[in-house]
């Protein structure tokens, strides 16, 4: 039991309290988390509390208490033995979001340690671990001791959560998934941060997605989540910023698994395909903030310049290959990336009319990627590492009827009909050029997060 949890509490009183809109104390939240982990609180009572929390919302203090109680619910990583500042980046998830493969080696090349514990594809969003596992031999499931060895050798390591790390989140997330209580800024914030703070980070950069492919579709909810996470992480002693970034179209040109790895490696090699410019820019901005918060650069702009230098001199690429090798991956597949790409079938989607690509329903595009076999609808489903979509045109581009918009990959041609129909619905072509959407619309530092939470009475 955590030290903060009084023993004389009754779950029913805590459900009633939250139901009636009264905030719980740190001790009361710790009692719920302890009871979830040791099985002393029944799932129906936890579910009732989660629903009350979803409807009433969590205050800033409750979010902080839940984050800390969940962080402390199991094993934790000790970054102090690395002898370096430990920094990570977390994204709330999207389509084609492969910045981790760039920012981890970029920050490591600038002298930081990046202990990154990542997730799998679920629903419309892709998963960092599935993408890495498309590299033959790459092991994402390492013990904390192996994780530390890779970090010592390479400066960066990207792995999956262990069974014993933050067990409270595994239990509560599974209940939220079954009780329609996922989409709550306080619950999401505590869930994400508990796992990140169990990495023992000195600094954290949060990439909170907005737009048609984001998890929280209302910009206001996404901003509340960003501000809550910054305040909660800072109060736990981790320097944190959150960037609100665009997910109104897939990030970069590839959405899938192996094809996303290829796109990231092309950029690490210094190539600059025009359709990947947004990915390159966002990765440098995020890495710039990591390098700044990690104390290596005095401003995020100076951090950006250091990250760009690490891209230009090949040091970040060398770290990426070293990490792949250290985690059992066969880095020789990068000698001929196109040759290794072996989809069962390929289909080009041509434009059905001339005009500008005006809007993209990125959630629907993510679901089309999943239906091609690159993602999963249910946890545990098998995925096809070579499936996915490569976009030939991005939002704002002018295209002629018959011109390729995208190339689809799957294990067999029978899998194309549904995703093609979904893409035709998801991509809107218009006679007028759409207004550009900024890649980064807002940055929450501790000060602006505090102001936001005060204004919103959190
Ligand atoms: N990702 C998480 O880790 N937790 C949530 O609650 C939502 C997204």
């Amino acid at each position: 039991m955590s030290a903060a949890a009084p023993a004389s509490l009754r779950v029913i009183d805590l459900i009633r309290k939250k139901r009636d809109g009264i905030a719980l104390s740190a001790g009361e939240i710790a009692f719920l988390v302890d009871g979830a982990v040791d099985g002393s609180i029944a799932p129906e009572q936890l579910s009732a509390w989660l629903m009350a929390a979803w409807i009433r919302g969590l205050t800033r203090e409750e979010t902080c208490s839940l984050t800390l109680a969940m962080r402390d619910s199991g094993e934790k990583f000790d970054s102090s033995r690395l002898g370096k500042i430990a920094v990570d980046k977390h994204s709330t998830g999207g389509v084609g979001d492969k910045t981790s493969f760039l920012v981890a080696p970029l920050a490591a090349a600038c002298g930081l340690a990046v202990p990154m514990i990542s997730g799998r594809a679920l629903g419309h969003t892709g998963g960092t671990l599935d993408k890495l596992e498309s590299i033959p031999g790459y092991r994402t499931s390492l013990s904390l001791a192996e994780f530390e060895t890779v970090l010592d050798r390479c400066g960066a390591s990207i792995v999956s959560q262990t069974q014993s790390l933050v067990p409270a989140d595994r239990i509560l997330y599974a209940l939220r998934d079954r009780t329609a209580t996922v989409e709550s800024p306080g619950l999401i914030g505590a869930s994400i941060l508990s796992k990140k703070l169990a990495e023992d980070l000195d600094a954290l950069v949060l990439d909170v997605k907005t737009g048609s492919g984001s998890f929280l579709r209302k910009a206001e909810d996404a901003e509340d989540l960003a501000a809550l996470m910054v305040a909660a992480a800072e109060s736990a002693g981790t320097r944190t910023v959150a960037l609100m970034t665009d997910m109104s179209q897939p990030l970069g040109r590839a959405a899938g698994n192996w094809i996303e790895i290829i796109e990231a490696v092309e950029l690490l090699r210094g190539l600059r395909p025009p359709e990947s410019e947004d990915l390159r820019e966002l990765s440098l901005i995020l890495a710039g903030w990591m390098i700044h918060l990690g104390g290596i650069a005095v401003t995020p702009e100076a951090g950006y310049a250091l990250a760009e230098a690490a891209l230009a001199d090949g040091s970040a690429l060398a770290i990426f290959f070293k990490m792949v090798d250290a985690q059992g991956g066969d880095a020789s597949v990068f000698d001929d990336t196109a040759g290794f790409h072996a989809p069962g079938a390929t289909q080009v989607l041509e434009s059905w009319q001339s005009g500008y690509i005006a809007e993209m329903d990125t959630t629907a595009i993510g679901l089309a990627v999943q239906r091609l076999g690159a993602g999963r609808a249910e946890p545990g489903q098998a995925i096809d590492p070579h499936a996915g979509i490569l976009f030939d045109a991005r939002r704002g581009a002018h295209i002629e009827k018959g011109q390729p918009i995208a190339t689809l990959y799957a294990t067999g041609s029978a899998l194309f009909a549904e995703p093609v129909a979904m893409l035709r619905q998801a991509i809107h072509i218009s006679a007028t050029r759409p207004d550009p959407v900024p890649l980064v619309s807002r940055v929450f530092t501790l000060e602006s997060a505090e102001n936001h939470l005060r204004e919103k009475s959190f």
Side-chain angles (χ1 to χ4, degrees):
M1 178 182 285
S2 90
S8 59
L9 294 171
R10 293 185 339 143
V11 193
I12 184 128
D13 296 332
L14 305 187
I15 299 170
R16 193 176 290 118
K17 201 168 170 184
K18 194 69 226 174
R19 182 200 66 189
D20 295 343
I22 303 167
L24 268 57
S25 69
E28 290 168 332
I29 288 184
F31 174 80
L32 286 169
V33 170
D34 287 345
V37 175
D38 67 19
S40 60
I41 301 180
E44 61 272 19
Q45 288 191 300
L46 289 170
S47 301
W49 185 81
L50 288 168
M51 184 55 84
W54 191 96
I55 292 169
R56 291 292 188 174
L58 294 183
T59 64
R60 173 188 169 165
E61 289 73 24
E62 286 178 306
T63 307
C64 292
S65 304
L66 186 58
T67 301
L68 296 185
M70 292 199 333
R71 178 199 67 182
D72 297 340
S73 66
E75 195 181 18
K76 281 181 277 184
F77 181 64
D78 175 7
S79 70
S80 65
R81 285 206 292 262
L82 298 172
K84 287 181 181 173
I85 301 288
V87 179
D88 194 5
K89 180 258 349 168
H90 178 81
S91 149
T92 55
V95 181
D97 184 357
K98 54 202 81 76
T99 60
S100 294
F101 311 128
L102 292 140
V103 302
L106 284 168
C110 294
L112 297 165
V114 187
M116 192 179 273
I117 297 172
S118 292
R120 293 196 178 276
L122 189 61
H124 77 281
T125 64
T128 297
L129 302 178
D130 299 308
K131 295 169 198 180
L132 282 169
E133 285 174 1
S134 68
I135 303 168
Y138 190 100
R139 287 172 58 226
T140 55
S141 176
L142 302 189
S143 66
L144 286 185
E146 288 174 309
F147 188 38
E148 189 178 318
T149 306
V150 177
L151 281 161
D152 257 339
R153 267 181 68 191
C154 312
S157 178
I158 308 180
V159 298
S160 61
Q161 205 178 330
T162 68
Q163 272 299 99
S164 46
L165 200 99
V166 196
D169 182 58
R170 213 167 352 92
I171 293 161
L172 293 178
Y173 193 88
L175 287 177
R176 287 167 60 208
D177 210 23
R178 273 179 281 142
T179 54
T181 51
V182 170
E183 307 86 346
S184 149
L187 294 176
I188 295 176
S191 163
I192 290 174
L193 282 184
S194 60
K195 288 172 286 197
K196 287 287 127 180
L197 299 186
E199 293 171 2
D200 192 18
L201 299 174
D202 296 292
L204 173 63
V205 175
L206 296 162
D207 176 0
V208 179
K209 302 294 185 190
T210 59
S212 62
S214 62
F215 206 48
L216 288 173
R217 295 295 277 271
K218 283 200 275 175
E220 205 183 311
D221 287 345
E223 287 181 354
D224 294 348
L225 171 64
L228 267 175
M229 288 199 291
V230 170
E234 285 273 358
S235 72
T238 301
R239 286 195 71 193
T240 303
V241 293
L243 279 65
M244 312 291 306
T245 77
D246 179 41
M247 192 33 75
S248 63
Q249 64 176 331
L251 188 63
R253 69 184 298 233
N257 294 299
W258 173 244
I259 56 175
E260 289 200 32
I261 297 281
I262 302 177
E263 186 181 13
V265 168
E266 276 178 358
L267 294 182
L268 286 169
R269 284 189 159 133
L271 303 176
R272 296 191 65 168
E275 294 85 7
S276 303
E277 269 303 300
D278 58 345
L279 170 66
R280 181 181 189 275
E281 181 64 8
L282 182 59
S283 301
L284 289 171
I285 293 172
L286 293 168
W289 273 101
M290 290 165 81
I291 295 161
H292 165 58
L293 292 187
I296 309 273
V298 284
T299 60
E301 293 76 23
Y304 181 110
L306 289 177
E308 202 166 29
L311 205 54
D313 68 13
S315 53
L317 177 71
I319 286 176
F320 180 78
F321 284 162
K322 203 167 163 185
M323 177 187 82
V324 167
D325 180 62
Q327 293 194 214
D330 177 5
S332 74
V333 289
F334 295 103
D335 298 343
D336 176 15
T337 49
F340 177 66
H341 187 208
T346 300
Q347 180 164 320
V348 174
L349 174 67
E350 293 174 350
S351 181
W352 45 98
Q353 70 183 75
S354 298
Y356 291 97
I357 299 194
E359 297 294 335
M360 288 187 167
D361 178 345
T362 310
T363 294
I365 292 175
L367 290 172
V369 174
Q370 179 216 304
R371 302 287 153 78
L372 285 166
R376 49 176 77 82
E378 298 291 337
Q381 266 179 358
I383 58 159
D384 174 3
H386 297 282
I389 303 178
L390 214 47
F391 288 90
D392 298 297
R394 316 292 319 280
R395 192 175 172 279
H398 189 275
I399 44 165
E400 298 298 333
K401 185 173 177 185
Q403 199 178 320
I405 289 188
T407 307
L408 284 69
Y409 304 108
T411 38
S413 50
L415 289 174
F416 288 132
E418 193 188 6
V420 163
M422 291 167 84
L423 289 180
R424 287 181 66 118
Q425 283 282 319
I427 300 172
H428 300 280
I429 300 172
S430 142
T432 47
R433 187 196 291 270
D435 290 335
V437 177
L439 195 53
V440 179
S441 54
R442 192 165 176 181
V443 177
F444 282 102
T445 58
L446 177 58
E447 193 185 356
S448 51
E450 301 265 16
N451 290 338
H452 179 89
L453 295 175
R454 211 171 300 116
E455 273 164 30
K456 301 287 292 291
S457 309
F458 263 96

